Amino acid sequence: MQHTHSARTSAAGTPRPRSVVVAGNGMVGERFLAELARTRLLDRIHLVVIGEEPVPAYDRVHLSARVEGATVEDLSMADPAIRQHPNVTEHLGRRVDAIDRSNRTVVLDDGATVAYDDLVLATGSRPFVPPIPGHDLPGCHVYRTIGDLDGIVTDASDASRGVVIGGGLLGLEAANALRLLGLDVQVIEFAPRLMPRQLDQLASDALRSRVEELGLTVRTDTATAALCPGDDGRVARLEFTDGSVVDADIVVFSAGIRARDELARDAGLDVGERGGVAVGPSLTSSDPHVHAIGECASVDGMVYGLVGPGYTMARVLAERLAGGEVTFDGADLSTQLKLLGVDVASFGDAMGTTDGARAVVYDDPITQIYRKLVISRDGTTLLGGILVGDASGHDRLLRLVLSGRPVDAPFAALAAPTVEDAGAVAGELHDDDLVCTCNNVTKGQVCAAVTEQGCRTLPALTAATNAGTGCGSCTALCKRILDTEMAAAGLEVDTSLCPHFPQTRQELYEIVRVKGHRTFDELLADVGRGSGCATCKPTIASILATITNEYVLEPQHAPLQDTNDRFLANIQKDGTYSVVPRVPGGEITPDKLMVIAEVAKEFDLYTKITGGQRIDLLGARLEQLPAIWRRLVDAGFESGHAYGKALRTVKSCVGRTWCRYGVQDSTTLAIDLEERYRGLRSPHKIKMAVSGCSRECAEAQGKDVGVIATENGWNLYVAGNGGMKPQHAVLLATDLSTEDLARAIDRFLAYYVRTADRLERTATWLNRIEGGIEHVRAVVIDDSLGLADELEAQMAHHVATHACEWKATLSDPERLAMFTSYVDDDRPDASLVHVRERGQKRPATDEERRTLPLLDLGAMR
């Protein structure tokens, strides 16, 4: 169905720009704005955005991060450039109450009207609350918005027991939020298994085991009969249909969603049989001027409850409003995410409903890893799969499903935990295979952008194709395809570090090591040109620090450092710095805790426990850093290198010393490892962990280097990481003695810092290098390159020459003189403003800067 252009005129008789009104500013609504900007339609229309919440779009999928300290700004998905566009008008905290189709206007909650030529309904969905007696008692919540979560947080301050009704994706995310708030949590699921739409019984069992190890209780196949109040009228108990009861202070409903289609119903638009604004592949409703996208849309009778299809709808509708003819022909419903720290993925025909489908299953009850691949009757084609505990290779498997082509590799090998080799994947893809599933970009389109449109860099490629602008997980693959196509066309693939050094980081590392350069200027004079830039200077500084281990603020090195390394602290969004003293293995005495508390109190620092078992002191002004570190160094603390591309922390459990399940002394090993590798400069930050048994409480398999105790010694895992694209670590060696373990880690880290690219984590490095983990194992364990002695000597030099950077700084008056906010004035930076929240200071928001009384900086030291 074609859209209709505006024929309206202004009072002066001149044509008005076409008016597009978007009702709803959730994740899909925000993506629609981005798509309008991408198609440049935004430059030709008047866009009105109306959102019910007082803040712009934010990441609902990771809402529980707010409990861990994420601010509204951290979760925000709003693009300031769109808000500042002269054609955009935004109404936040306002609600559309009605649609007047005859006059083509919407009526807002204050009675105001807004005219439209095209109305886009992106109102999303609302949580479904089953009509159980007592569901509306005080203490009962839903989990959908920041406001919902803030209400839960408020109630949790006086609670100890929480119940989540619903064991699906959002239910487990809500359970994680309650767990992070310190509550004892029970998850109640009506179906026989967790995530019943995505997981089969064995996968649910694996997930359940991992969830219960975190201290949560799971009840499946359980129906709630009633919620009962206590003496104070608040919810106090749940009664189930089997007669059992559970006490609770908070109940969170997460039992599904319902499309928000009331505006369409009231306006007489068609709606789907199961709810949702009825639209076809054009995403236009029964009124040609009204469209619907996301969870409020029923596309040919189907409501998509995932954000991925919503993003595709946003792209399709924007292109149609811009004059295109593209249609929404369904979307990939695969799911991949981390629930309560557990990798979970479900894709394609995960349940094996295809006639004659068979399955290849990898089920390890010890590590609680479950991977099932659903295969066609003839055993040639991958139809779908489920991954729990290890989702490595998900992107590769999903592409095989979407291609529908026969698979050459053995399915048993694909089912086993592995690491996706982006280079190999690039080579095996066909032109019609999807590279970017967010934007439906095929390998053929990417190749055409290189060969026909002349794209020579990754930014140019993504701008031309839109690949990589969604979740970003395909970026590495796009780069591989770009390099491969350029090489095949006889074009030079640019691997230079920057315009001043035509070499790669690895080549520069070898030049410095072999020729013995000690300064940036020596290296520049030898193999570089020009004067250097913000890319090469900190990279060379890191290489020099790794090889020489010299003090990074020596006069010849200090100008090379980025802001964090230059001031030995991690700069924050408001311009203050964080202070993170090293706490090896997470073990700390009460006396040292009191020193940290005294420093935090004296300097009024926001204090938070980090995920790496350290204490982060935030809000320090630049000129305060020396005095803060003087107190800490005098008490025996060292720099924790939270500011550097270096070893951050070695997390550990209490091990066999205290834990009845521990089989080795994980704490002592973690302390030894942290003290061995502290200060090691590397291409990117390094995180490590040691678990005292296979229960894995230290989450070692999510670290660059992870160690897990066995009855016979230690298992060594490498190249894991969390972050935007989590990756499970890979087992490198088993049952090592403590001495052999240290030797293997020495070699692994030395080999990584020698061969990795700039800002390349161990996981990305392992995915990139030819031969993957087998090559690394041959080098590190079998010494296939004859480098073992050299790598060990390199690490021995680091250990022997390590010195605390802050201790060295405090003894150097010239270095201390750097720590002032102004060159000619020692007063504090007057632009820093803070407010109090939960008893501590935090940076003021822009609104608070205008309206609230602020803390008096002059009253602080």
Side-chain angles (χ1 to χ4, degrees):
M1 189 176 294
Q2 281 285 9
H3 59 268
T4 303
H5 291 274
S6 171
R8 298 182 180 186
T9 58
S10 67
T14 56
R16 289 177 177 166
R18 179 183 178 187
S19 176
V20 176
V21 174
V22 182
N25 189 222
M27 296 173 70
V28 173
E30 185 68 21
R31 174 57 69 94
F32 178 68
L33 307 187
E35 293 291 345
L36 290 179
R38 182 184 63 80
T39 59
R40 299 193 180 280
L41 182 59
L42 187 59
D43 299 329
R44 295 181 277 123
I45 62 174
H46 178 216
L47 175 67
V48 181
V49 182
I50 304 167
E52 283 190 17
E53 295 185 68
V55 295
Y58 53 85
D59 185 355
R60 297 186 197 278
V61 176
H62 298 101
L63 201 55
S64 67
R66 184 160 169 76
V67 180
E68 298 178 284
T71 65
V72 173
E73 289 78 13
D74 293 333
L75 294 171
S76 177
M77 301 179 72
D79 183 347
I82 293 178
R83 265 66 185 178
Q84 294 166 8
H85 195 289
N87 295 354
V88 176
T89 301
E90 187 177 40
H91 300 289
L92 296 181
R94 304 287 293 279
R95 186 182 66 245
V96 176
D97 271 354
I99 303 171
D100 182 348
R101 292 171 53 197
S102 59
N103 291 310
R104 264 190 269 160
T105 60
V106 294
V107 182
L108 306 188
D109 51 359
D110 62 354
T113 59
V114 179
Y116 65 81
D117 295 297
D118 289 285
L119 172 61
V120 179
L121 297 176
T123 48
S125 62
R126 63 167 53 85
F128 170 66
V129 178
I132 303 170
H135 69 273
D136 52 355
L137 287 170
C140 293
H141 298 265
V142 294
Y143 185 82
R144 178 70 178 172
T145 67
I146 284 178
D148 295 335
L149 185 58
D150 288 348
I152 292 172
V153 171
T154 299
D155 271 3
S157 61
D158 296 321
S160 61
R161 300 159 301 189
V163 170
V164 176
I165 297 181
L169 289 170
L170 280 179
L172 293 177
E173 181 70 8
N176 189 40
L178 295 184
R179 181 182 72 94
L180 294 172
L181 288 168
L183 274 62
D184 291 331
V185 183
Q186 293 206 25
V187 177
I188 310 299
E189 170 56 48
F190 179 76
R193 58 185 187 272
L194 293 172
M195 295 179 62
R197 298 185 64 176
Q198 291 87 16
L199 303 184
D200 60 19
Q201 190 61 53
L202 289 177
S204 172
D205 291 344
L207 177 60
R208 178 174 182 161
S209 295
R210 286 184 171 246
V211 168
E212 289 181 335
E213 281 187 358
L214 296 174
L216 281 69
T217 301
V218 176
R219 294 180 58 153
T220 56
D221 212 4
T222 300
T224 306
L227 283 70
C228 306
D231 295 338
D232 58 358
R234 298 177 57 83
V235 66
R237 188 174 69 256
L238 286 84
E239 296 178 350
F240 302 107
T241 54
D242 63 3
S244 61
V245 298
V246 165
D247 293 333
D249 305 310
I250 291 178
V251 174
V252 178
F253 289 98
S254 183
I257 59 173
R258 295 292 184 268
R260 291 194 56 184
D261 57 9
E262 58 272 17
L263 283 174
R265 290 178 185 274
D266 293 345
L269 295 170
D270 292 344
V271 296
E273 290 185 5
R274 303 184 65 180
V277 185
V279 297
S282 67
L283 303 174
T284 297
S285 73
S286 51
D287 181 328
H289 297 283
V290 182
H291 322 274
I293 56 176
E295 294 174 346
C296 71
S298 174
V299 186
D300 288 337
M302 180 168 182
V303 175
Y304 293 83
L306 299 173
V307 71
Y311 284 171
T312 303
M313 294 183 208
R315 177 181 58 80
V316 168
L317 182 59
E319 292 187 5
R320 288 189 65 82
L321 294 182
E325 296 292 337
V326 64
T327 56
F328 177 78
D329 300 318
D332 168 41
L333 296 179
S334 66
T335 301
Q336 184 194 12
L337 68 167
K338 212 174 186 70
L339 288 169
L340 293 152
V342 183
D343 288 317
V344 178
S346 174
F347 53 96
D349 182 12
M351 300 300 174
T353 58
T354 303
D355 185 33
R358 296 181 290 172
V360 175
V361 176
Y362 176 97
D363 184 13
D364 184 344
I366 305 302
T367 60
Q368 294 154 358
I369 293 175
Y370 175 82
R371 293 167 63 95
K372 181 181 83 171
L373 300 184
V374 179
I375 317 298
S376 62
R377 181 199 297 268
D378 61 4
T380 63
T381 308
L382 181 62
L383 302 176
I386 298 173
L387 312 174
V388 173
D390 184 330
S392 58
H394 167 265
D395 290 351
R396 181 182 184 183
L397 296 170
L398 175 59
R399 290 189 183 94
L400 289 173
V401 171
L402 296 176
S403 74
R405 288 182 285 103
V407 178
D408 295 331
F411 284 109
L414 292 175
T418 183
V419 176
E420 182 177 77
D421 182 336
V425 170
E428 73 181 21
L429 289 177
H430 292 207
D431 281 352
D432 58 351
D433 286 343
L434 285 176
V435 171
C436 176
T437 55
C438 295
N439 294 299
N440 290 328
V441 182
T442 65
K443 179 188 176 184
Q445 292 172 300
V446 173
C447 293
V450 179
T451 58
E452 299 174 12
Q453 301 179 43
C455 297
R456 297 292 180 264
T457 64
L458 187 60
L461 182 67
T462 56
T465 64
N466 217 26
T469 59
C471 70
S473 63
C474 65
T475 303
L477 180 56
C478 289
K479 181 64 168 65
R480 297 293 173 204
I481 296 174
L482 171 67
D483 292 347
T484 301
E485 289 301 305
M486 289 182 64
L491 299 170
E492 183 179 354
V493 178
D494 183 11
T495 59
S496 58
L497 179 66
C498 71
H500 306 97
F501 287 97
Q503 302 84 3
T504 65
R505 180 196 175 275
Q506 181 178 353
E507 290 167 342
L508 290 169
Y509 185 98
E510 290 303 318
I511 292 171
V512 172
R513 186 180 66 83
V514 173
K515 293 190 174 183
H517 293 311
R518 308 288 291 192
T519 69
F520 177 83
D521 290 342
E522 290 178 9
L523 182 63
L524 187 68
D526 185 11
V527 298
R529 54 178 176 262
S531 57
C533 63
T535 297
C536 62
K537 286 183 177 178
T539 303
I540 304 302
S542 174
I543 291 173
L544 291 168
T546 303
I547 294 176
T548 68
N549 213 12
E550 290 180 347
Y551 176 46
V552 297
L553 297 186
E554 289 288 355
Q556 67 274 26
H557 301 317
L560 308 177
Q561 312 298 336
D562 61 20
T563 300
N564 285 355
D565 278 312
R566 188 173 179 80
F567 297 117
L568 306 178
N570 199 359
I571 192 167
Q572 305 299 305
K573 61 188 294 183
D574 67 342
T576 63
Y577 293 82
S578 71
V579 173
V580 185
R582 187 169 296 287
V583 181
E587 182 182 83
I588 189 168
T589 65
D591 287 342
K592 282 194 168 183
L593 272 177
M594 285 192 284
V595 171
I596 291 178
E598 290 168 359
V599 168
K601 190 170 184 178
E602 180 176 349
F603 293 91
D604 192 25
L605 303 176
Y606 175 85
T607 307
K608 191 176 189 307
I609 307 295
T610 73
Q613 299 181 335
R614 299 195 289 189
I615 299 175
D616 199 349
L617 307 172
L618 295 107
R621 301 195 306 273
L622 184 61
E623 67 274 13
Q624 291 178 318
L625 292 174
I628 291 171
W629 273 106
R630 179 82 66 189
R631 293 281 304 276
L632 294 171
V633 169
D634 287 347
F637 286 103
E638 286 192 354
S639 166
H641 290 95
Y643 49 85
K645 301 294 184 288
L647 173 71
R648 293 290 175 85
T649 177
V650 182
K651 185 177 179 180
S652 77
C653 62
V654 296
R656 70 181 180 190
T657 307
W658 291 93
C659 178
R660 64 186 187 277
Y661 299 111
V663 295
Q664 302 287 353
D665 185 356
S666 55
T667 303
T668 296
L669 179 63
I671 293 171
D672 291 345
L673 293 178
E674 186 154 351
E675 292 182 342
R676 184 173 184 80
Y677 303 114
R678 58 189 169 179
L680 175 66
R681 287 299 203 280
S682 59
H684 212 304
K685 62 186 175 185
I686 298 172
K687 296 183 178 180
M688 302 172 64
V690 182
S691 285
C693 73
S694 61
R695 290 174 178 263
E696 248 283 68
C697 292
E699 301 172 320
Q701 293 174 84
K703 307 300 183 187
D704 298 279
V705 175
V707 180
I708 301 177
T710 71
E711 295 287 349
N712 303 313
W714 307 96
N715 285 350
L716 174 58
Y717 292 78
V718 296
N721 69 241
M724 180 178 292
K725 188 179 181 184
Q727 181 163 307
H728 208 281
V730 184
L731 182 63
L732 182 67
T734 60
D735 291 334
L736 297 171
S737 67
T738 303
E739 293 74 19
D740 288 341
L741 175 74
R743 188 176 300 112
I745 298 175
D746 279 0
R747 296 177 184 179
F748 172 78
L749 290 178
Y751 190 54
Y752 161 65
V753 299
R754 175 179 288 197
T755 58
D757 284 338
R758 169 179 171 268
L759 300 180
E760 189 173 45
R761 290 290 297 269
T762 57
T764 310
W765 167 74
L766 185 64
N767 294 347
R768 175 180 60 82
I769 59 176
E770 187 173 351
I773 188 62
E774 295 303 327
H775 169 75
V776 172
R777 184 177 291 115
V779 174
V780 172
I781 304 300
D782 303 328
D783 193 19
S784 61
L785 299 181
L787 291 174
D789 290 344
E790 193 175 311
L791 297 175
E792 290 179 31
Q794 177 184 335
M795 196 58 68
H797 171 74
H798 166 78
V799 174
T801 57
H802 168 76
C804 174
E805 291 167 349
W806 261 109
K807 188 173 183 179
T809 302
L810 293 173
S811 63
D812 187 338
E814 291 187 13
R815 300 280 78 77
L816 289 176
M818 297 168 44
F819 292 87
T820 56
S821 296
Y822 303 104
V823 174
D824 56 354
D825 191 336
D826 60 0
R827 288 177 299 175
D829 184 349
S831 67
L832 299 176
V833 289
H834 297 97
V835 296
R836 292 283 173 192
E837 185 173 72
R838 296 186 293 275
Q840 299 198 77
K841 75 173 183 182
R842 65 159 172 79
T845 65
D846 291 342
E847 179 66 18
E848 289 167 338
R849 283 171 177 262
R850 292 191 295 270
T851 60
L852 296 179
L854 306 173
L855 299 183
D856 180 5
L857 281 176
M860 306 175 201
R861 285 191 54 175

